[in-house]
């Protein structure tokens, strides 16, 4: 392996402290080392432009393709459709269930969109 494989490259920039750490945690669960840069600047938003206060996530170049795949899946999970985020009526018992429920809390029937 070349020395180039083990230099840090920027994966993305995220404006929120919590979101940056959520993504960092997902990457670390996949055994990808992560460095954060600029996380202490988030408190200065308003004093400095928001794009300058963004938290940058860096990974080793050799892990970049794997990290990009995790980032894509993370973004997909964040941008679920409105139908997935709304209450639903059970087809079996007509009970109203919240969007977090995959099964009806009243009768246990599976939500059809969860298939």
């Amino acid at each position: 392996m070349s020395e180039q494989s083990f230099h840090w490259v920027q994966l993305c920039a995220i404006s929120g402290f919590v979101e940056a750490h959520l993504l960092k945690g997902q990457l670390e669960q996949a055994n990808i080392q992560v460095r954060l840069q600029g996380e202490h600047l988030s408190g200065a938003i308003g004093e400095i432009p928001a794009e300058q206060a963004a938290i940058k996530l860096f990974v080793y170049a050799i892990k970049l393709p794997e990290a990009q795949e995790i980032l894509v899946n993370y973004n997909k999970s964040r941008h679920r459709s409105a139908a997935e985020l709304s209450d639903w009526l059970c087809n079996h018992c007509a009970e109203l269930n919240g969007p977090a429920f995959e099964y009806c809390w009243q009768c246990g029937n599976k939500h059809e969109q969860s298939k």
Side-chain angles (χ1 to χ4, degrees):
M1 264 180 226
S2 74
E3 193 174 302
Q4 290 286 24
S5 299
F6 293 100
H7 73 278
W8 294 98
V9 294
Q10 184 175 331
L11 172 65
C12 62
I14 298 178
S15 60
F17 180 85
V18 172
E19 187 177 3
H21 280 272
L22 285 172
L23 184 54
K24 180 181 186 267
Q26 285 190 4
L27 292 164
E28 288 174 340
Q29 283 182 335
N31 293 320
I32 299 173
Q33 287 183 306
V34 182
R35 275 191 183 170
L36 298 180
Q37 180 182 0
E39 64 183 312
H40 301 292
L41 294 175
S42 61
I45 292 178
E47 300 294 324
I48 61 174
E51 60 273 356
Q52 289 181 2
I55 301 168
K56 297 178 178 96
L57 281 79
F58 290 85
V59 298
Y60 281 123
I62 195 166
K63 293 289 191 170
L64 185 61
E66 187 179 348
Q68 288 171 328
E69 183 177 337
I70 291 169
L71 179 62
V72 166
N73 291 334
Y74 174 79
N75 285 329
K76 282 181 185 176
S77 71
R78 285 185 53 237
H79 295 94
R80 297 187 320 196
S81 70
E84 293 174 312
L85 297 174
S86 61
D87 293 343
W88 56 276
L89 284 175
C90 176
N91 291 338
H92 184 258
C93 71
E95 183 64 38
L96 184 64
N97 294 275
F101 290 98
E102 186 175 338
Y103 292 88
C104 176
W105 70 270
Q106 179 69 28
C107 70
N109 197 42
K110 187 171 177 73
H111 181 35
E112 290 189 21
Q113 289 185 344
S114 299
K115 292 179 182 176

